[in-house]
Amino acid sequence: MTYADVYDSWKSDPEAFWMKAAETISWVKPPSKALFDENAPIYEWFSDAQVNTCYNAVDRHVEAGNGDRTALIYDSPITQTKHKISYAELQVRVASLAGALRAKGVEKGDRVIIYMPMVPEAIEAMLACSRLGAIHSVVFGGFAANELAVRIDDAKPKAIIAASCGLEPNRVIHYKPLLDGAIDLADHKPDFCVIFQREQEVAALIKDRDFDWHAFQYGVTPAECVPVAGNHPSYILYTSGTTGQPKGVIRHTAGQLVALDWTMKAIYDIDAGDVFWAASDVGWVVGHSYIAYGPLIHGATTIVFEGKPVGTPDAGTFWRIIEEYKVKSLFTAPTAFRAIKREDPGGEFLKKYDLSNFKILFLAGERADPDTIIWAQDKLGVPVIDHWWQTETGWAVAANPMGIEPLPVKLGSPSVVVPGYDVRVLDEAGVEVAAGEMGAIVLKLPLPPGTLPNLWNAEERYISAYLTTFPGYYETGDAGYKDEDGYLYIMARTDDVINVAGHRLSTGAMEEVLAAHPDVAECAVIGVADKLKGQLPLGFLCLNAGCNRPHAEIVKEVAGLVREKIGPVAAFKLALVVDRLPKTRSGKILRATMVKIADSEEFKVPATIDDPDILDEIKVALETLGYAQG
């Protein structure tokens, strides 16, 4: 069947399409139907089924006689560690961990926060929660204590599973002090914590609250898989909100199983037994969908990589892993390839490795710039597929469906709309625009299985944030257009979330931190284009009158504050002291115009501007940092 055939078969009968896709899942009790729409615009899928995620990701493969197949490959160039775990081993390890959690009181519906680096134990912790029907919330390891505290207060976990530390190429990130600090800051206190002690740093345990990962599993009864309802939340994953308070995206169990299993073949062209590598982190949505769950549900082999594209030890690391484990498809962020290209523009490292088993490179997480795509196509000689989705959707909205029908690649486009989605481009009045015209990208409701059905304990916010601007549609917050062939082009965020090396971060949250500095009267943060990371945050500071401290000192202090409050992931180092900020008459800061000035792009002075002269002052200030050269 062609892509058009499959898309039409979904469009003409979504119910039959998804019930057919559901046949690949091992149900305790199969669903009676696919869509449950009685509470529209809140939609659910396969709600009356009974099923268990861990059973589908682990046990069923063992029962089918594939226990010897490698489930998980751990490769950590930072610690010089390599380790393979078979499906049978994974079953034993996960059942033991789940049994130990249960012995301490974790049951179906309880929340568990996981705060871990890229080690197999992070995946095992996720699977152990799903085995019990507990709802996990993975927080990116090393996120600052107050960010973790906010998530503790929202999810109210019974337990927190953490590692003693995370590792960067030349430093140890101390997780335990961050965890202790977060628990001190949070109003909600977990009943207990489980600490996975790494040899690079053994953390001090607090008596009667903290338990050692290995010791607390001693002598426990392994746990069986607990069936849950199809609409039972599988996890909560917090995403950057524009207003400081993060949004807890939830995923329902049955929809996630069906959608991810379907995409493994349809989009990524992966079969059971193939090796699939998503070079991301468990703290992000890619880590949930395509390191932990998708490949394992599908019976493939997944890779847990603790390293960087360059510097661990060199720009050949990705190629070594592809050769060593016979990786069929790699999924990573364009920023990783920009880093490799910058270190090794001629692709010299590629010549040292045999990539004959490698078939497709997938890019996502930020816009894939044509330069990077052309370089990768040229050097690797395989299709380079950009695809587009969000934390909220959990899987691709637009992609080149490699397992259905590889379509021609158009540079700058994540290709076509994936079956399950109906994507429209609307103007501000909610009217569809013509092909080639820019507008707001929206998804017609209902969203397919495996996408967010709601936010954790925040239904009103879900409706106001996503479903209100364009009634009957989910608002993606992205702007772009479709061409005459139906290819989608994503051009910009419609709000102020910026993308730093594939990490979506809210400039609003950074502004809150800068504004808290005693000498800062007012501030703005924008994302400026950066060759390596895609975007970098840049702050503008208006100081309190009478402040005569050296500007460099204040800039250094605010950078330290962002690091402490949001984390090193924000990469906040650039800030300028200016007299005033450009605003509309109603007082809105003209961030989008400032971005254009910084990136040396043409711009027209907004009609609503209060004082156009300020734009020249901003340009002069930006020039001192090497921006605004146009």
Side-chain angles (χ1 to χ4, degrees):
M1 283 173 86
T2 64
Y3 157 74
D5 293 337
V6 177
Y7 192 87
D8 290 344
S9 77
W10 164 72
K11 190 129 197 208
S12 61
D13 194 347
E15 180 74 20
F17 181 89
W18 288 117
M19 285 301 275
K20 176 95 181 103
E23 290 171 9
T24 63
I25 298 305
S26 305
W27 305 98
V28 177
K29 173 179 163 255
S32 65
K33 59 175 186 168
L35 182 65
F36 287 71
D37 58 2
E38 44 280 355
N39 294 320
I42 303 293
Y43 295 92
E44 293 181 354
W45 294 89
F46 313 114
S47 303
D48 63 358
Q50 289 283 316
V51 70
N52 180 278
T53 301
C54 185
Y55 180 82
N56 277 276
V58 183
D59 299 62
R60 67 169 176 166
H61 305 307
V62 179
E63 289 171 15
N66 294 314
D68 290 345
R69 181 185 293 161
T70 303
L72 204 148
I73 297 168
Y74 173 51
D75 190 299
S76 167
I78 293 179
T79 61
Q80 304 286 309
T81 312
K82 296 176 186 182
H83 182 45
K84 290 184 177 178
I85 299 171
S86 69
Y87 273 100
E89 265 180 282
L90 187 61
Q91 184 183 30
V92 171
R93 290 167 69 133
V94 170
S96 168
L97 178 59
L101 290 169
R102 170 184 276 174
K104 287 231 165 293
V106 175
E107 292 292 347
K108 176 156 77 176
D110 288 337
R111 274 82 60 212
V112 176
I113 280 182
I114 299 171
Y115 185 65
M116 294 185 88
M118 283 296 286
V119 290
E121 288 78 8
I123 308 293
E124 289 166 12
M126 295 166 79
L127 290 166
C129 290
S130 71
R131 195 171 189 86
L132 297 172
I135 301 163
H136 65 69
S137 185
V138 182
V139 177
F140 181 71
F143 245 19
N146 69 305
E147 289 282 342
L148 180 54
V150 167
R151 288 154 173 79
I152 292 171
D153 280 336
D154 194 68
K156 300 188 169 41
K158 185 171 273 188
I160 298 178
I161 304 176
S164 57
C165 65
L167 303 169
E168 289 286 325
N170 33 30
R171 65 192 174 108
V172 173
I173 303 198
H174 317 286
Y175 283 12
K176 188 60 170 42
L178 292 169
L179 173 65
D180 293 342
I183 293 173
D184 289 345
L185 287 170
D187 294 327
H188 173 87
K189 310 293 179 193
D191 290 3
F192 67 99
C193 299
V194 178
I195 307 299
F196 175 65
Q197 298 278 26
R198 304 191 70 183
E199 58 193 53
Q200 290 75 17
E201 176 170 275
V202 175
L205 301 186
I206 293 172
K207 193 173 168 0
D208 298 330
R209 187 198 79 184
D210 300 339
F211 297 89
D212 175 80
W213 172 283
H214 295 291
F216 105 121
Q217 296 185 45
Y218 181 73
V220 301
T221 308
E224 77 292 357
C225 294
V226 177
V228 299
N231 60 357
H232 180 75
S234 158
Y235 66 74
I236 306 166
L237 180 56
Y238 290 94
T239 181
S240 301
T242 42
T243 55
Q245 182 71 16
K247 300 194 282 260
V249 168
I250 58 175
R251 206 77 69 207
H252 280 173
T253 300
Q256 169 175 262
L257 284 165
V258 174
L260 293 182
D261 197 38
W262 182 81
T263 61
M264 286 308 297
K265 180 63 184 171
I267 295 173
Y268 302 106
D269 196 26
I270 292 292
D271 295 304
D274 285 342
V275 181
F276 182 76
W277 178 23
S280 178
D281 189 282
V282 284
W284 312 119
V285 70
V286 175
H288 286 62
S289 292
Y290 295 111
I291 299 175
Y293 290 121
L296 297 178
I297 293 162
H298 206 61
T301 299
T302 189
I303 296 182
V304 176
F305 170 68
E306 187 181 37
K308 301 276 182 215
V310 297
T312 59
D314 53 43
T317 303
F318 274 28
W319 321 137
R320 173 188 65 79
I321 288 183
I322 290 170
E323 174 188 81
E324 197 166 323
Y325 305 119
K326 299 186 165 44
V327 173
K328 183 177 175 184
S329 294
L330 165 64
F331 174 164
T332 191
T335 192
F337 267 70
R338 285 197 286 268
I340 294 168
K341 174 176 154 222
R342 185 177 175 180
E343 290 272 310
D344 182 22
E348 296 307 313
F349 277 106
L350 271 165
K351 297 168 188 164
K352 303 180 185 178
Y353 298 97
D354 170 12
L355 304 189
S356 55
N357 290 285
F358 185 53
K359 297 292 181 266
I360 315 167
L361 170 64
F362 290 91
L363 298 173
E366 57 189 314
R367 267 194 84 201
D369 51 296
D371 280 4
T372 302
I373 293 179
I374 291 165
W375 184 86
Q377 283 172 338
D378 188 44
K379 298 284 180 271
L380 292 167
V382 301
V384 177
I385 306 299
D386 182 19
H387 61 322
W388 170 70
W389 45 295
Q390 302 180 317
T391 301
E392 290 87 348
T393 68
W395 54 284
V397 179
N400 198 323
M402 299 304 284
I404 298 172
E405 178 197 14
L407 299 170
V409 168
K410 294 190 185 191
L411 287 179
S413 169
S415 300
V416 295
V417 178
V418 177
Y421 294 95
D422 181 350
V423 176
R424 310 285 176 94
V425 184
L426 307 180
D427 65 16
E428 283 170 1
V431 177
E432 261 189 271
V433 300
E437 267 185 58
M438 182 99 152
I441 296 172
V442 299
L443 314 177
K444 193 171 189 309
L445 296 176
L447 294 179
T451 56
L452 86 168
N454 213 325
L455 292 174
W456 179 252
N457 287 342
E459 188 166 299
E460 279 179 21
R461 188 172 179 200
Y462 170 65
I463 291 169
S464 68
Y466 299 109
L467 309 182
T468 303
T469 311
F470 301 105
Y473 296 94
Y474 162 91
E475 181 184 10
T476 66
D478 279 302
Y481 63 92
K482 273 189 198 174
D483 71 11
E484 56 290 342
D485 298 326
Y487 278 60
L488 198 61
Y489 292 77
I490 311 295
M491 303 313 292
R493 285 296 295 167
T494 50
D495 59 15
D496 63 357
V497 173
I498 63 167
N499 206 314
V500 180
H503 305 322
R504 276 186 62 199
L505 297 163
S506 167
T507 51
M510 291 184 219
E511 288 174 1
E512 284 175 25
V513 174
L514 301 190
H517 187 285
D519 293 321
V520 173
E522 192 180 26
C523 64
V525 174
I526 61 170
V528 294
D530 180 75
K531 279 202 168 61
L532 189 62
K533 296 198 172 197
Q535 282 181 302
L536 278 179
L538 187 151
F540 294 88
L541 312 172
C542 301
L543 302 182
N544 290 318
C547 168
N548 48 19
R549 298 180 52 212
H551 292 174
E553 219 170 277
I554 295 170
V555 168
K556 196 171 167 196
E557 287 165 9
V558 297
L561 280 173
V562 174
R563 188 183 176 87
E564 178 197 327
K565 299 282 187 205
I566 291 171
V569 67
F572 185 94
K573 295 181 183 71
L574 304 171
L576 287 165
V577 174
V578 293
D579 281 338
R580 48 202 188 141
L581 296 169
K583 293 182 182 175
T584 63
R585 292 189 191 92
S586 63
K588 281 196 174 61
I589 297 171
L590 293 162
R591 291 181 186 79
T593 308
M594 292 161 79
V595 171
K596 284 205 161 85
I597 295 171
D599 293 344
S600 315
E601 289 175 21
E602 275 183 51
F603 66 95
K604 67 172 198 279
V605 177
T608 52
I609 193 166
D610 192 21
D611 181 351
D613 291 350
I614 302 178
L615 295 178
D616 293 326
E617 297 167 19
I618 294 293
K619 183 174 190 302
V620 170
L622 282 163
E623 284 167 356
T624 64
L625 289 179
Y627 292 92
Q629 299 301 307

